[in-house]
Amino acid sequence: MSQRRSSATALDQLGAKISPAPAVVAPRVLSFYQFLDEVARVRVQSGDAAGTYARFSFKGRGALVQVVHCIDHVLGSHTGTPLKDAKLGLAGGAQFGKTTLELNLAAYVSACRFLNPIVYLPDDKLADDIVDAKFRPDVIDQVPWFAAMTKVGRAVNESGKAVNTKGAFLVTDGTRKAVGMFRGLQKPPTSFTADIVVEDEKDDIKPAMAKFVSGRMTASEMRFHLEVGTQRLHGAGQNKVWTNGSQGVVLLATASSWAAA
């Protein structure tokens, strides 16, 4: 009797190892705006609820509304036709929500669109920290269906081989796959393809290393490049990105508010 139980247990363990992972049924999220408005959660910073999480809200984050609509336009969220080779520069001051934006963008495009995002930061230490202190607790752990789809530290390279690599995450619904990464631009990856690249803190990324960014998107049909920074350096970094672009400005306050200031 004990031998039969042992055999059954061994077969069960073997079956569990070779059986495909169960499919994850994710909700249908049609746009990045919808993902932020209905799915994303943020850490409460003050008051009695400090340290807990609440639904993301655009209230108090008005500067992000037009940015999110622009990203949806590039992704073709409403038209069904993405814009190829789009480049978007986002300049703003500190604490305007750029980290929340880019972390949730990485989650949305990988889990809902099955596109491959890479978020580049100035160095590997910052990249590792943002995964451990932000992406995992603030995004993955807050969305159960996204957590069920995601394996952190896992990726699939261009040859189709699964590899373990720091800062990577593999997303699958049991059929489709996407690979995302957070990397420092000290030593950019050379064996992974991205559809969407984000450069965070452009002012602190060496221009000589930034040239490697576009090389990761050559095999993509989208090649969307988002550059984010605070414009600390006049004529360089994010300020150069800003002045070379269309320089769109969103006025958040009413004309009467400015007049009374």
Side-chain angles (χ1 to χ4, degrees):
M1 181 71 81
S2 61
Q3 288 182 340
R4 290 180 181 176
R5 282 200 296 267
S6 298
S7 298
T9 301
L11 289 173
D12 290 342
Q13 292 175 347
L14 178 61
K17 290 181 180 179
I18 64 176
S19 297
V24 177
V25 180
R28 192 178 183 206
V29 183
L30 301 178
S31 68
F32 183 38
Y33 185 96
Q34 182 186 356
F35 185 88
L36 287 171
D37 193 46
E38 298 180 6
V39 177
R41 297 176 65 82
V42 292
R43 186 189 296 268
V44 178
Q45 300 295 335
S46 61
D48 294 338
T52 63
Y53 287 83
R55 285 262 308 263
F56 174 90
S57 172
F58 282 103
K59 184 178 181 180
R61 299 183 178 92
L64 295 181
V65 174
Q66 293 302 319
V67 174
V68 172
H69 286 324
C70 187
I71 291 173
D72 272 324
H73 181 61
V74 172
L75 296 176
S77 298
H78 304 298
T79 65
T81 305
L83 299 182
K84 296 182 179 180
D85 296 301
K87 196 169 187 179
L88 175 62
L90 174 57
Q95 302 299 318
F96 72 95
K98 71 177 179 65
T99 302
T100 297
L101 182 83
E102 66 192 31
L103 294 182
N104 282 282
L105 178 61
Y108 169 68
V109 298
S110 60
C112 301
R113 302 290 293 271
F114 291 93
L115 298 169
N116 300 331
I118 296 182
V119 178
Y120 285 115
L121 294 105
D123 59 61
D124 291 333
K125 176 69 165 57
L126 287 172
D128 292 346
D129 287 348
I130 204 169
V131 172
D132 295 335
K134 293 286 186 179
F135 188 59
R136 190 193 297 267
D138 293 355
V139 181
I140 297 176
D141 292 348
Q142 302 307 313
V143 185
W145 57 265
F146 180 53
M149 297 172 69
T150 304
K151 291 184 178 179
V152 177
R154 195 76 168 161
V156 177
N157 62 20
E158 291 178 349
S159 65
K161 182 180 179 181
V163 295
N164 295 318
T165 180
K166 182 72 173 177
F169 61 100
L170 173 64
V171 180
T172 180
D173 62 357
T175 303
R176 299 168 294 178
K177 291 184 177 69
V179 174
M181 284 192 172
F182 292 87
R183 279 296 178 90
L185 262 177
Q186 294 171 317
K187 186 179 179 182
T190 57
S191 59
F192 296 92
T193 294
D195 299 296
I196 296 168
V197 159
V198 179
E199 283 188 73
D200 187 352
E201 291 301 348
K202 180 77 173 179
D203 290 353
D204 298 322
I205 293 176
K206 295 180 180 179
M209 300 306 296
K211 65 182 181 181
F212 290 101
V213 169
S214 59
R216 294 298 86 222
M217 296 189 288
T218 54
S220 170
E221 294 185 0
M222 175 173 285
R223 299 177 297 275
F224 176 27
H225 190 175
L226 173 61
E227 296 168 291
V228 185
T230 53
Q231 293 195 107
R232 298 196 316 273
L233 306 174
H234 179 70
Q238 193 66 29
N239 182 251
K240 185 176 181 180
V241 171
W242 167 257
T243 55
N244 287 346
S246 61
Q247 302 183 37
V249 177
V250 176
L251 181 65
L252 298 178
T254 64
S256 59
S257 298
W258 286 108

